PDB file of all heavy atoms in Angstrom:
ATOM      1  N   GLY A1217       0.769  -1.218   0.035  1.00 98.00           N
ATOM      2  CA  GLY A1217      -0.009  -0.012  -0.042  1.00 98.00           C
ATOM      3  C   GLY A1217       0.800   1.257   0.009  1.00 98.00           C
ATOM      4  O   GLY A1217       0.252   2.370   0.195  1.00 98.00           O
ATOM      5  N   PHE A1218       2.096   1.216  -0.196  1.00 98.00           N
ATOM      6  CA  PHE A1218       2.890   2.434  -0.264  1.00 98.00           C
ATOM      7  C   PHE A1218       2.688   3.180  -1.577  1.00 98.00           C
ATOM      8  O   PHE A1218       2.916   4.343  -1.773  1.00 98.00           O
ATOM      9  CB  PHE A1218       4.394   2.148  -0.033  1.00 98.00           C
ATOM     10  CG  PHE A1218       4.642   1.674   1.343  1.00 98.00           C
ATOM     11  CD1 PHE A1218       4.691   0.349   1.737  1.00 98.00           C
ATOM     12  CD2 PHE A1218       4.844   2.663   2.391  1.00 98.00           C
ATOM     13  CE1 PHE A1218       4.926  -0.097   2.981  1.00 98.00           C
ATOM     14  CE2 PHE A1218       5.073   2.214   3.718  1.00 98.00           C
ATOM     15  CZ  PHE A1218       5.116   0.893   3.963  1.00 98.00           C
ATOM     16  N   CYS A1219       2.251   2.426  -2.626  1.00 98.00           N
ATOM     17  CA  CYS A1219       1.890   2.978  -3.900  1.00 98.00           C
ATOM     18  C   CYS A1219       0.930   1.995  -4.587  1.00 98.00           C
ATOM     19  O   CYS A1219       0.747   0.857  -4.095  1.00 98.00           O
ATOM     20  CB  CYS A1219       3.047   3.292  -4.777  1.00 98.00           C
ATOM     21  SG  CYS A1219       4.026   1.851  -5.231  1.00 98.00           S
ATOM     22  N   ALA A1220       0.256   2.393  -5.620  1.00 98.00           N
ATOM     23  CA  ALA A1220      -0.695   1.569  -6.283  1.00 98.00           C
ATOM     24  C   ALA A1220      -0.004   0.513  -7.216  1.00 98.00           C
ATOM     25  O   ALA A1220       1.199   0.676  -7.575  1.00 98.00           O
ATOM     26  CB  ALA A1220      -1.589   2.409  -7.199  1.00 98.00           C
ATOM     27  N   LYS A1221      -0.672  -0.565  -7.521  1.00 98.00           N
ATOM     28  CA  LYS A1221      -0.151  -1.566  -8.387  1.00 98.00           C
ATOM     29  C   LYS A1221       0.281  -1.003  -9.701  1.00 98.00           C
ATOM     30  O   LYS A1221      -0.459  -0.251 -10.350  1.00 98.00           O
ATOM     31  CB  LYS A1221      -1.136  -2.715  -8.542  1.00 98.00           C
ATOM     32  CG  LYS A1221      -0.688  -3.813  -9.542  1.00 98.00           C
ATOM     33  CD  LYS A1221       0.677  -4.431  -9.144  1.00 98.00           C
ATOM     34  CE  LYS A1221       0.650  -5.206  -7.827  1.00 98.00           C
ATOM     35  NZ  LYS A1221       2.003  -5.831  -7.558  1.00 98.00           N
ATOM     36  N   GLY A1222       1.483  -1.292 -10.107  1.00 97.00           N
ATOM     37  CA  GLY A1222       2.011  -0.780 -11.348  1.00 97.00           C
ATOM     38  C   GLY A1222       2.778   0.537 -11.226  1.00 97.00           C
ATOM     39  O   GLY A1222       3.403   1.016 -12.211  1.00 97.00           O
ATOM     40  N   GLU A1223       2.747   1.148 -10.056  1.00 98.00           N
ATOM     41  CA  GLU A1223       3.379   2.450  -9.824  1.00 98.00           C
ATOM     42  C   GLU A1223       4.702   2.322  -9.064  1.00 98.00           C
ATOM     43  O   GLU A1223       5.254   3.359  -8.617  1.00 98.00           O
ATOM     44  CB  GLU A1223       2.438   3.398  -9.114  1.00 98.00           C
ATOM     45  CG  GLU A1223       1.192   3.807  -9.887  1.00 98.00           C
ATOM     46  CD  GLU A1223       0.265   4.723  -9.146  1.00 98.00           C
ATOM     47  OE1 GLU A1223       0.627   5.119  -8.052  1.00 98.00           O
ATOM     48  OE2 GLU A1223      -0.822   5.065  -9.696  1.00 98.00           O
ATOM     49  N   GLY A1224       5.171   1.093  -8.908  1.00 98.00           N
ATOM     50  CA  GLY A1224       6.428   0.929  -8.120  1.00 98.00           C
ATOM     51  C   GLY A1224       7.592   1.568  -8.731  1.00 98.00           C
ATOM     52  O   GLY A1224       8.413   2.185  -8.058  1.00 98.00           O
ATOM     53  N   ALA A1225       7.721   1.565 -10.110  1.00 98.00           N
ATOM     54  CA  ALA A1225       8.841   2.170 -10.732  1.00 98.00           C
ATOM     55  C   ALA A1225       8.829   3.737 -10.506  1.00 98.00           C
ATOM     56  O   ALA A1225       9.874   4.339 -10.140  1.00 98.00           O
ATOM     57  CB  ALA A1225       8.884   1.904 -12.231  1.00 98.00           C
ATOM     58  N   GLU A1226       7.681   4.321 -10.672  1.00 98.00           N
ATOM     59  CA  GLU A1226       7.580   5.763 -10.388  1.00 98.00           C
ATOM     60  C   GLU A1226       7.862   6.122  -8.978  1.00 98.00           C
ATOM     61  O   GLU A1226       8.409   7.097  -8.595  1.00 98.00           O
ATOM     62  CB  GLU A1226       6.200   6.256 -10.806  1.00 98.00           C
ATOM     63  CG  GLU A1226       5.992   7.720 -10.655  1.00 98.00           C
ATOM     64  CD  GLU A1226       6.944   8.618 -11.372  1.00 98.00           C
ATOM     65  OE1 GLU A1226       7.415   8.242 -12.433  1.00 98.00           O
ATOM     66  OE2 GLU A1226       7.257   9.682 -10.877  1.00 98.00           O
ATOM     67  N   PHE A1227       7.398   5.227  -7.988  1.00 98.00           N
ATOM     68  CA  PHE A1227       7.649   5.418  -6.642  1.00 98.00           C
ATOM     69  C   PHE A1227       9.174   5.435  -6.383  1.00 98.00           C
ATOM     70  O   PHE A1227       9.660   6.317  -5.589  1.00 98.00           O
ATOM     71  CB  PHE A1227       7.040   4.282  -5.819  1.00 98.00           C
ATOM     72  CG  PHE A1227       7.125   4.383  -4.294  1.00 98.00           C
ATOM     73  CD1 PHE A1227       6.239   5.235  -3.594  1.00 98.00           C
ATOM     74  CD2 PHE A1227       8.114   3.723  -3.647  1.00 98.00           C
ATOM     75  CE1 PHE A1227       6.329   5.354  -2.223  1.00 98.00           C
ATOM     76  CE2 PHE A1227       8.259   3.824  -2.216  1.00 98.00           C
ATOM     77  CZ  PHE A1227       7.352   4.618  -1.557  1.00 98.00           C
ATOM     78  N   VAL A1228       9.856   4.554  -6.942  1.00 98.00           N
ATOM     79  CA  VAL A1228      11.319   4.484  -6.756  1.00 98.00           C
ATOM     80  C   VAL A1228      12.033   5.702  -7.334  1.00 98.00           C
ATOM     81  O   VAL A1228      12.912   6.242  -6.724  1.00 98.00           O
ATOM     82  CB  VAL A1228      11.900   3.224  -7.351  1.00 98.00           C
ATOM     83  CG1 VAL A1228      13.447   3.223  -7.406  1.00 98.00           C
ATOM     84  CG2 VAL A1228      11.433   1.903  -6.604  1.00 98.00           C
ATOM     85  N   ARG A1229      11.496   6.200  -8.456  1.00 98.00           N
ATOM     86  CA  ARG A1229      12.102   7.412  -9.045  1.00 98.00           C
ATOM     87  C   ARG A1229      11.914   8.697  -8.153  1.00 98.00           C
ATOM     88  O   ARG A1229      12.678   9.571  -8.180  1.00 98.00           O
ATOM     89  CB  ARG A1229      11.495   7.671 -10.411  1.00 98.00           C
ATOM     90  CG  ARG A1229      11.824   6.571 -11.436  1.00 98.00           C
ATOM     91  CD  ARG A1229      10.904   6.716 -12.668  1.00 98.00           C
ATOM     92  NE  ARG A1229      10.884   5.517 -13.507  1.00 98.00           N
ATOM     93  CZ  ARG A1229       9.948   5.225 -14.339  1.00 98.00           C
ATOM     94  NH1 ARG A1229       8.933   6.088 -14.580  1.00 98.00           N
ATOM     95  NH2 ARG A1229       9.993   4.092 -15.036  1.00 98.00           N
ATOM     96  N   ARG A1230      10.786   8.697  -7.398  1.00 98.00           N
ATOM     97  CA  ARG A1230      10.426   9.874  -6.590  1.00 98.00           C
ATOM     98  C   ARG A1230      10.995   9.862  -5.220  1.00 98.00           C
ATOM     99  O   ARG A1230      10.889  10.859  -4.535  1.00 98.00           O
ATOM    100  CB  ARG A1230       8.954   9.985  -6.571  1.00 98.00           C
ATOM    101  CG  ARG A1230       8.245  10.369  -7.807  1.00 98.00           C
ATOM    102  CD  ARG A1230       6.767  10.667  -7.632  1.00 98.00           C
ATOM    103  NE  ARG A1230       5.966   9.510  -7.379  1.00 98.00           N
ATOM    104  CZ  ARG A1230       5.440   9.218  -6.215  1.00 98.00           C
ATOM    105  NH1 ARG A1230       5.695   9.953  -5.145  1.00 98.00           N
ATOM    106  NH2 ARG A1230       4.700   8.110  -6.013  1.00 98.00           N
ATOM    107  N   HIS A1231      11.589   8.718  -4.808  1.00 98.00           N
ATOM    108  CA  HIS A1231      12.024   8.652  -3.331  1.00 98.00           C
ATOM    109  C   HIS A1231      13.476   8.280  -3.209  1.00 98.00           C
ATOM    110  O   HIS A1231      14.055   7.625  -4.097  1.00 98.00           O
ATOM    111  CB  HIS A1231      11.190   7.630  -2.597  1.00 98.00           C
ATOM    112  CG  HIS A1231       9.730   8.029  -2.378  1.00 98.00           C
ATOM    113  ND1 HIS A1231       9.382   8.989  -1.432  1.00 98.00           N
ATOM    114  CD2 HIS A1231       8.573   7.743  -3.006  1.00 98.00           C
ATOM    115  CE1 HIS A1231       8.090   9.188  -1.460  1.00 98.00           C
ATOM    116  NE2 HIS A1231       7.558   8.396  -2.390  1.00 98.00           N
ATOM    117  N   ASP A1232      14.050   8.731  -2.153  1.00 98.00           N
ATOM    118  CA  ASP A1232      15.433   8.398  -1.734  1.00 98.00           C
ATOM    119  C   ASP A1232      15.357   7.266  -0.718  1.00 98.00           C
ATOM    120  O   ASP A1232      14.818   7.442   0.372  1.00 98.00           O
ATOM    121  CB  ASP A1232      16.090   9.609  -1.108  1.00 98.00           C
ATOM    122  CG  ASP A1232      17.566   9.355  -0.727  1.00 98.00           C
ATOM    123  OD1 ASP A1232      17.958   8.177  -0.642  1.00 98.00           O
ATOM    124  OD2 ASP A1232      18.276  10.353  -0.432  1.00 98.00           O
ATOM    125  N   LEU A1233      15.830   6.145  -1.082  1.00 98.00           N
ATOM    126  CA  LEU A1233      15.658   4.880  -0.278  1.00 98.00           C
ATOM    127  C   LEU A1233      16.783   4.641   0.679  1.00 98.00           C
ATOM    128  O   LEU A1233      16.830   3.609   1.360  1.00 98.00           O
ATOM    129  CB  LEU A1233      15.526   3.655  -1.179  1.00 98.00           C
ATOM    130  CG  LEU A1233      14.483   3.696  -2.285  1.00 98.00           C
ATOM    131  CD1 LEU A1233      14.414   2.387  -3.060  1.00 98.00           C
ATOM    132  CD2 LEU A1233      13.102   4.079  -1.789  1.00 98.00           C
ATOM    133  N   THR A1234      17.712   5.644   0.829  1.00 98.00           N
ATOM    134  CA  THR A1234      18.876   5.421   1.711  1.00 98.00           C
ATOM    135  C   THR A1234      18.451   5.800   3.149  1.00 98.00           C
ATOM    136  O   THR A1234      17.353   6.316   3.443  1.00 98.00           O
ATOM    137  CB  THR A1234      20.028   6.287   1.283  1.00 98.00           C
ATOM    138  OG1 THR A1234      19.648   7.711   1.352  1.00 98.00           O
ATOM    139  CG2 THR A1234      20.450   5.949  -0.124  1.00 98.00           C
ATOM    140  N   ILE A1235      19.370   5.483   4.118  1.00 98.00           N
ATOM    141  CA  ILE A1235      19.127   5.720   5.519  1.00 98.00           C
ATOM    142  C   ILE A1235      18.740   7.174   5.827  1.00 98.00           C
ATOM    143  O   ILE A1235      17.833   7.385   6.575  1.00 98.00           O
ATOM    144  CB  ILE A1235      20.422   5.354   6.317  1.00 98.00           C
ATOM    145  CG1 ILE A1235      20.655   3.806   6.215  1.00 98.00           C
ATOM    146  CG2 ILE A1235      20.328   5.794   7.766  1.00 98.00           C
ATOM    147  CD1 ILE A1235      21.984   3.360   6.709  1.00 98.00           C
ATOM    148  N   GLY A1236      19.337   8.102   5.159  1.00 98.00           N
ATOM    149  CA  GLY A1236      19.048   9.482   5.409  1.00 98.00           C
ATOM    150  C   GLY A1236      18.030  10.088   4.458  1.00 98.00           C
ATOM    151  O   GLY A1236      17.716  11.236   4.477  1.00 98.00           O
ATOM    152  N   GLY A1237      17.391   9.197   3.659  1.00 98.00           N
ATOM    153  CA  GLY A1237      16.443   9.658   2.609  1.00 98.00           C
ATOM    154  C   GLY A1237      15.007   9.856   3.163  1.00 98.00           C
ATOM    155  O   GLY A1237      14.775   9.677   4.357  1.00 98.00           O
ATOM    156  N   ASP A1238      14.065  10.175   2.263  1.00 98.00           N
ATOM    157  CA  ASP A1238      12.705  10.380   2.685  1.00 98.00           C
ATOM    158  C   ASP A1238      11.921   9.084   2.759  1.00 98.00           C
ATOM    159  O   ASP A1238      10.819   9.070   3.286  1.00 98.00           O
ATOM    160  CB  ASP A1238      12.014  11.373   1.685  1.00 98.00           C
ATOM    161  CG  ASP A1238      11.994  10.797   0.241  1.00 98.00           C
ATOM    162  OD1 ASP A1238      12.795   9.941  -0.106  1.00 98.00           O
ATOM    163  OD2 ASP A1238      11.038  11.254  -0.476  1.00 98.00           O
ATOM    164  N   PHE A1239      12.506   7.895   2.337  1.00 98.00           N
ATOM    165  CA  PHE A1239      11.864   6.667   2.440  1.00 98.00           C
ATOM    166  C   PHE A1239      12.918   5.577   2.722  1.00 98.00           C
ATOM    167  O   PHE A1239      13.275   4.822   1.876  1.00 98.00           O
ATOM    168  CB  PHE A1239      11.076   6.292   1.162  1.00 98.00           C
ATOM    169  CG  PHE A1239      10.198   5.109   1.304  1.00 98.00           C
ATOM    170  CD1 PHE A1239       8.919   5.273   1.887  1.00 98.00           C
ATOM    171  CD2 PHE A1239      10.567   3.924   0.782  1.00 98.00           C
ATOM    172  CE1 PHE A1239       8.093   4.146   2.027  1.00 98.00           C
ATOM    173  CE2 PHE A1239       9.704   2.809   0.933  1.00 98.00           C
ATOM    174  CZ  PHE A1239       8.489   2.917   1.549  1.00 98.00           C
ATOM    175  N   PRO A1240      13.398   5.565   3.993  1.00 98.00           N
ATOM    176  CA  PRO A1240      14.442   4.562   4.349  1.00 98.00           C
ATOM    177  C   PRO A1240      14.002   3.127   4.114  1.00 98.00           C
ATOM    178  O   PRO A1240      12.959   2.762   4.660  1.00 98.00           O
ATOM    179  CB  PRO A1240      14.740   4.861   5.801  1.00 98.00           C
ATOM    180  CG  PRO A1240      14.220   6.278   6.061  1.00 98.00           C
ATOM    181  CD  PRO A1240      13.059   6.382   5.125  1.00 98.00           C
ATOM    182  N   HIS A1241      14.768   2.373   3.367  1.00 98.00           N
ATOM    183  CA  HIS A1241      14.336   1.037   2.935  1.00 98.00           C
ATOM    184  C   HIS A1241      15.563   0.105   3.082  1.00 98.00           C
ATOM    185  O   HIS A1241      16.653   0.419   2.595  1.00 98.00           O
ATOM    186  CB  HIS A1241      13.850   1.070   1.559  1.00 98.00           C
ATOM    187  CG  HIS A1241      13.639  -0.274   0.933  1.00 98.00           C
ATOM    188  ND1 HIS A1241      14.360  -0.736  -0.168  1.00 98.00           N
ATOM    189  CD2 HIS A1241      12.737  -1.254   1.185  1.00 98.00           C
ATOM    190  CE1 HIS A1241      13.921  -1.990  -0.474  1.00 98.00           C
ATOM    191  NE2 HIS A1241      12.965  -2.256   0.300  1.00 98.00           N
ATOM    192  N   ASN A1242      15.392  -1.056   3.711  1.00 98.00           N
ATOM    193  CA  ASN A1242      16.362  -2.033   3.822  1.00 98.00           C
ATOM    194  C   ASN A1242      17.720  -1.461   4.300  1.00 98.00           C
ATOM    195  O   ASN A1242      18.746  -1.490   3.637  1.00 98.00           O
ATOM    196  CB  ASN A1242      16.551  -2.832   2.556  1.00 98.00           C
ATOM    197  CG  ASN A1242      15.417  -3.847   2.300  1.00 98.00           C
ATOM    198  OD1 ASN A1242      14.548  -4.025   3.175  1.00 98.00           O
ATOM    199  ND2 ASN A1242      15.426  -4.433   1.129  1.00 98.00           N
ATOM    200  N   THR A1243      17.639  -0.866   5.514  1.00 98.00           N
ATOM    201  CA  THR A1243      18.677  -0.045   6.023  1.00 98.00           C
ATOM    202  C   THR A1243      19.937  -0.708   6.350  1.00 98.00           C
ATOM    203  O   THR A1243      21.036  -0.089   6.363  1.00 98.00           O
ATOM    204  CB  THR A1243      18.183   0.704   7.227  1.00 98.00           C
ATOM    205  OG1 THR A1243      17.548  -0.192   8.137  1.00 98.00           O
ATOM    206  CG2 THR A1243      17.143   1.776   6.846  1.00 98.00           C
ATOM    207  N   SER A1244      19.915  -2.047   6.560  1.00 98.00           N
ATOM    208  CA  SER A1244      21.170  -2.798   6.771  1.00 98.00           C
ATOM    209  C   SER A1244      21.930  -3.085   5.407  1.00 98.00           C
ATOM    210  O   SER A1244      23.102  -3.393   5.474  1.00 98.00           O
ATOM    211  CB  SER A1244      20.873  -4.168   7.411  1.00 98.00           C
ATOM    212  OG  SER A1244      20.199  -5.008   6.442  1.00 98.00           O
ATOM    213  N   GLY A1245      21.302  -2.775   4.363  1.00 98.00           N
ATOM    214  CA  GLY A1245      21.837  -3.169   3.000  1.00 98.00           C
ATOM    215  C   GLY A1245      21.040  -4.259   2.418  1.00 98.00           C
ATOM    216  O   GLY A1245      21.142  -4.549   1.227  1.00 98.00           O
ATOM    217  N   GLY A1246      20.247  -4.998   3.234  1.00 98.00           N
ATOM    218  CA  GLY A1246      19.457  -6.074   2.774  1.00 98.00           C
ATOM    219  C   GLY A1246      20.274  -7.230   2.226  1.00 98.00           C
ATOM    220  O   GLY A1246      21.521  -7.166   2.234  1.00 98.00           O
ATOM    221  N   GLN A1247      19.616  -8.236   1.743  1.00 98.00           N
ATOM    222  CA  GLN A1247      20.334  -9.379   1.247  1.00 98.00           C
ATOM    223  C   GLN A1247      21.207  -9.072   0.067  1.00 98.00           C
ATOM    224  O   GLN A1247      22.238  -9.713  -0.189  1.00 98.00           O
ATOM    225  CB  GLN A1247      19.370 -10.495   0.863  1.00 98.00           C
ATOM    226  CG  GLN A1247      18.568 -11.068   2.097  1.00 98.00           C
ATOM    227  CD  GLN A1247      17.549 -12.120   1.634  1.00 98.00           C
ATOM    228  OE1 GLN A1247      17.865 -13.233   1.645  1.00 98.00           O
ATOM    229  NE2 GLN A1247      16.365 -11.621   1.244  1.00 98.00           N
ATOM    230  N   LEU A1248      20.802  -8.074  -0.742  1.00 98.00           N
ATOM    231  CA  LEU A1248      21.497  -7.737  -1.957  1.00 98.00           C
ATOM    232  C   LEU A1248      22.899  -7.286  -1.667  1.00 98.00           C
ATOM    233  O   LEU A1248      23.812  -7.410  -2.486  1.00 98.00           O
ATOM    234  CB  LEU A1248      20.762  -6.619  -2.741  1.00 98.00           C
ATOM    235  CG  LEU A1248      19.489  -7.115  -3.474  1.00 98.00           C
ATOM    236  CD1 LEU A1248      18.692  -5.895  -3.995  1.00 98.00           C
ATOM    237  CD2 LEU A1248      19.797  -8.128  -4.586  1.00 98.00           C
ATOM    238  N   SER A1249      23.161  -6.751  -0.473  1.00 98.00           N
ATOM    239  CA  SER A1249      24.473  -6.290  -0.112  1.00 98.00           C
ATOM    240  C   SER A1249      25.038  -6.895   1.145  1.00 98.00           C
ATOM    241  O   SER A1249      26.179  -6.993   1.334  1.00 98.00           O
ATOM    242  CB  SER A1249      24.510  -4.736  -0.024  1.00 98.00           C
ATOM    243  OG  SER A1249      24.490  -4.119  -1.260  1.00 98.00           O
ATOM    244  N   VAL A1250      24.154  -7.356   2.081  1.00 98.00           N
ATOM    245  CA  VAL A1250      24.661  -8.012   3.283  1.00 98.00           C
ATOM    246  C   VAL A1250      24.963  -9.532   2.941  1.00 98.00           C
ATOM    247  O   VAL A1250      25.918 -10.102   3.450  1.00 98.00           O
ATOM    248  CB  VAL A1250      23.643  -7.946   4.396  1.00 98.00           C
ATOM    249  CG1 VAL A1250      24.091  -8.739   5.658  1.00 98.00           C
ATOM    250  CG2 VAL A1250      23.417  -6.490   4.804  1.00 98.00           C
ATOM    251  N   GLY A1251      24.143 -10.096   2.096  1.00 97.00           N
ATOM    252  CA  GLY A1251      24.287 -11.467   1.756  1.00 97.00           C
ATOM    253  C   GLY A1251      23.001 -12.265   2.155  1.00 97.00           C
ATOM    254  O   GLY A1251      22.213 -11.748   2.894  1.00 97.00           O
ATOM    255  N   GLN A1252      22.868 -13.500   1.566  1.00 96.00           N
ATOM    256  CA  GLN A1252      21.689 -14.287   1.891  1.00 96.00           C
ATOM    257  C   GLN A1252      22.208 -15.610   2.579  1.00 96.00           C
ATOM    258  O   GLN A1252      22.686 -16.455   1.873  1.00 96.00           O
ATOM    259  CB  GLN A1252      20.909 -14.648   0.607  1.00 96.00           C
ATOM    260  CG  GLN A1252      19.639 -15.391   0.913  1.00 96.00           C
ATOM    261  CD  GLN A1252      18.915 -15.871  -0.364  1.00 96.00           C
ATOM    262  OE1 GLN A1252      19.459 -16.669  -1.192  1.00 96.00           O
ATOM    263  NE2 GLN A1252      17.690 -15.411  -0.539  1.00 96.00           N
ATOM    264  N   ALA A1253      22.044 -15.627   3.875  1.00 96.00           N
ATOM    265  CA  ALA A1253      22.457 -16.760   4.643  1.00 96.00           C
ATOM    266  C   ALA A1253      21.291 -17.762   4.745  1.00 96.00           C
ATOM    267  O   ALA A1253      20.795 -18.072   5.829  1.00 96.00           O
ATOM    268  CB  ALA A1253      22.911 -16.370   5.990  1.00 96.00           C
ATOM    269  N   GLY A1254      20.871 -18.283   3.588  1.00 94.00           N
ATOM    270  CA  GLY A1254      19.746 -19.267   3.550  1.00 94.00           C
ATOM    271  C   GLY A1254      18.479 -18.712   4.173  1.00 94.00           C
ATOM    272  O   GLY A1254      18.050 -17.566   3.887  1.00 94.00           O
TER     273      GLY A1254
END
């Protein structure tokens, strides 16, 4: 519910997803950068 279906790409373009941004997301770095331990 953070945006409507199909609007995810536009949502990403409009927001800063970093720790200091307006929409902090996966602040540890998430699996993409921390790693996936099963």
Side-chain angles (χ1 to χ4, degrees):
F1218 290 95
C1219 62
K1221 176 54 68 179
E1223 295 181 3
E1226 180 58 31
F1227 183 84
V1228 168
R1229 295 167 197 161
R1230 289 189 287 107
H1231 289 284
D1232 182 344
L1233 308 183
T1234 63
I1235 291 167
D1238 62 335
F1239 190 79
H1241 170 248
N1242 286 354
T1243 48
S1244 69
Q1247 296 177 94
L1248 288 171
S1249 285
V1250 176
Q1252 184 185 62

